[in-house]
Amino acid sequence: MSNKILATNKKAYHEYFIEEKYEAGLVLVGTEVKSIRQGKVNIKDSYVNIKDGEAFVYNMHVSPYEKGNIYNVDPLRARKLLLNKREIRKLIGLVTLKGYTLIPLNLYLKNGLIKMELSVAKGKKNYD
């Protein structure tokens, strides 16, 4: 079954060297899922941070769903990523020791679920 890409982060390939890629699920509210399926999401300025052994994505803008009224949540709220404990420990080691950062690359549908492809990336210098 093919994956339907909902959002891409073209800026990431331009500003970072991509080292490794991981797939993670997201903890979302129902109105966010409907809005993302309509393509009203922006991951251009977003980044992933690990806090207390859990991964969160920040600055991912999900526009409020038009018919969501009271069920809509903050468009820029931090959203939890679903990763294995082993993967999170590996990411913590890479980010703290080697100075890498975690950047979302794609948001896509896989078997009806919204997944995020995130990468371990190293920042490029201006002359690179």
Side-chain angles (χ1 to χ4, degrees), residues 18-107:
I18 307 300
E19 302 286 330
E20 293 182 48
K21 295 180 182 179
Y22 292 90
E23 180 182 75
L26 285 126
V27 176
L28 297 169
V29 180
T31 54
E32 288 179 317
V33 173
K34 290 182 178 224
S35 186
I36 290 172
R37 282 177 176 256
Q38 290 179 346
K40 296 182 178 178
V41 61
N42 184 1
I43 60 172
K44 186 172 67 175
D45 294 325
S46 58
Y47 63 96
V48 177
N49 200 357
I50 298 173
K51 183 178 175 183
D52 299 329
E54 295 179 331
F56 292 92
V57 62
Y58 297 95
N59 282 355
M60 182 173 103
H61 188 276
V62 179
S63 298
Y65 184 58
E66 298 98 32
K67 300 177 180 92
N69 56 42
I70 62 166
Y71 299 105
N72 282 328
V73 291
D74 179 25
L76 287 173
R77 74 179 182 95
R79 293 165 182 90
K80 185 175 175 181
L81 294 177
L82 303 172
L83 290 160
N84 291 332
K85 211 176 248 186
R86 176 179 38 83
E87 290 175 323
I88 290 176
R89 279 199 299 264
K90 185 175 180 183
L91 291 174
I92 288 172
L94 286 171
V95 170
T96 55
L97 295 178
K98 296 185 181 175
Y100 288 104
T101 185
L102 301 171
I103 303 291
L105 295 177
N106 292 320
L107 209 60

